[in-house]
Amino acid sequence: MIECEEVLLFLFCSSKSSRAMELAYLSILNHVIRLSSLILFLLWKATLMALQFSVRQIGGIVYHAFTLYRKRFLNVFPNKPAVVSRNIGWMLGLMPAVATSVKPDEEKENKKNLISEADILYNEHSYTKLRNLLLQYKGEENAEILWRLARATFEVAKLSSSPAEQKQLDLEAYGYVELALRIDPENFAAHKWMFILLDKKASYDGLKERISQSFAVKQHIERACELNPKDATSFHLLGYWCFSVAELPWLQRQIASTLFAKPPVSSYEEALQYFLRAEEVEPNFYSTNLLMIGKTYLRLKNREKAIVYLTGARDYAVASSKDLETKQEAAKLLNSI
């Protein structure tokens, strides 16, 4: 009887030990599956991204995958075989889950690259190519893309020999910048291009409309200067508005006074203040700014300073057709002094 009990006890202990070993093996297998899934995912994604040479993105994926692995499965021990099959399912689902998590970063990077390419094309004066590129993204609610599309469309309009086509493109450009400001009212560049395109749009509707819109036009460029006081072009444009108003012919002044209780007013002194501010922000950034300072000094009867700035405009390195026009005008003014 004693021998029988000892046999039963031995069998019971053996069975219990075998069960413990089974669970241990399942635990090990479970962790092997998890680790394998992580390695497979990293190899798969690294292969796809290696061509982009983006160390930051690859590092982000590794970190995200490891964090997800720790959060879900570290220190979890299986007590039944079903856990193994569940983890096989997790292994198969990990790749799309992590890939989806990095998608916003990839989209942001793509937008950044698009904007960089757009600015390069603009600096190269490849306006038609630039417009065709950005037209593909006009449906996206992105103010940075839209104001650049407005700028490109405006430049393409200037290249057209057809007045009807010029008008159509100018109005199209106005629509883009209007949408950009609706999306981001604090975008300084959108305000700057609204200054240009609102005045252009009003010019198609006659002198009365242009004078009427002049107040709104000025508000946009003043807002651009407030939002980005380091942008020299905005101060140049504000100076140009002041110079144009100060330069208004007597007849147009009378018309403005008749039509409006308070017509737009400015002076050469105010224009000079903004032109010089632009030069202070970024010296020699634009040949036309040097020309306008010279012309303003001429209006103020300061011949010596006018010669200094007109000479700078005449000797400015020509990089565009606008630089060439400025050079020729400056030379003509110097010869007349």
Side-chain angles (χ1 to χ4, degrees), residues 53-268:
F53 301 100
S54 180
V55 176
R56 182 185 64 80
Q57 285 184 323
I58 294 174
I61 292 166
V62 172
Y63 175 79
H64 181 87
F66 180 69
T67 303
L68 191 64
Y69 175 77
R70 283 186 58 189
K71 181 179 178 181
R72 293 188 182 182
F73 298 102
L74 207 59
N75 298 323
V76 177
F77 296 95
N79 55 18
K80 53 184 178 179
V83 176
V84 176
S85 62
R86 186 181 69 204
N87 286 335
I88 292 174
W90 174 78
M91 176 181 72
L92 296 175
L94 174 64
M95 296 182 186
V98 179
T100 301
S101 71
V102 299
K103 190 176 180 182
D105 287 339
E106 291 179 352
E107 289 180 352
K108 186 176 180 180
E109 189 72 19
N110 290 338
K111 291 286 172 57
K112 185 178 178 181
N113 292 337
L114 172 65
I115 288 171
S116 296
E117 183 181 357
D119 290 343
I120 290 170
L121 289 173
Y122 182 79
N123 292 331
E124 293 175 348
H125 312 294
S126 301
Y127 303 129
T128 301
K129 185 177 179 180
L130 169 58
R131 180 170 178 268
N132 291 336
L133 171 67
L134 295 179
L135 277 173
Q136 302 173 58
Y137 303 92
K138 70 176 183 178
E140 299 191 16
E141 293 190 352
N142 188 304
E144 292 296 325
I145 291 175
L146 286 167
W147 76 253
R148 284 174 170 83
L149 177 55
R151 178 179 67 176
T153 304
F154 175 74
E155 295 293 349
V156 170
K158 291 195 289 186
L159 299 174
S160 176
S161 58
S162 167
E165 184 182 25
Q166 283 183 354
K167 181 179 180 180
Q168 181 263 320
L169 289 170
D170 284 332
L171 295 180
E172 181 183 327
Y174 173 80
Y176 295 140
V177 79
E178 184 180 38
L179 180 57
L181 271 180
R182 202 177 304 150
I183 294 168
D184 184 5
E186 301 301 300
N187 190 302
F188 91 92
H191 278 286
K192 179 167 67 176
W193 280 93
M194 177 57 86
F195 163 83
I196 295 169
L197 291 165
L198 178 57
D199 181 67
K200 191 67 178 177
K201 176 178 177 290
S203 69
Y204 288 114
D205 297 324
L207 178 61
K208 180 180 178 181
E209 179 64 15
R210 194 171 189 184
I211 295 174
S212 174
Q213 291 292 349
S214 64
F215 301 102
V217 166
K218 186 184 182 186
Q219 287 173 357
H220 281 292
I221 199 59
E222 286 177 332
R223 185 61 179 144
C225 292
E226 290 172 3
L227 290 169
N228 188 1
K230 297 297 183 181
D231 184 63
T233 307
S234 296
F235 286 104
H236 166 78
L237 292 173
L238 183 53
Y240 197 89
W241 184 92
C242 295
F243 185 93
S244 299
V245 171
E247 196 91 331
L248 277 176
W250 179 85
L251 180 59
Q252 290 188 15
R253 288 180 185 277
Q254 293 303 113
I255 294 173
S257 299
T258 302
L259 296 175
F260 303 99
K262 188 180 179 182
V265 292
S266 190
S267 64
Y268 294 121

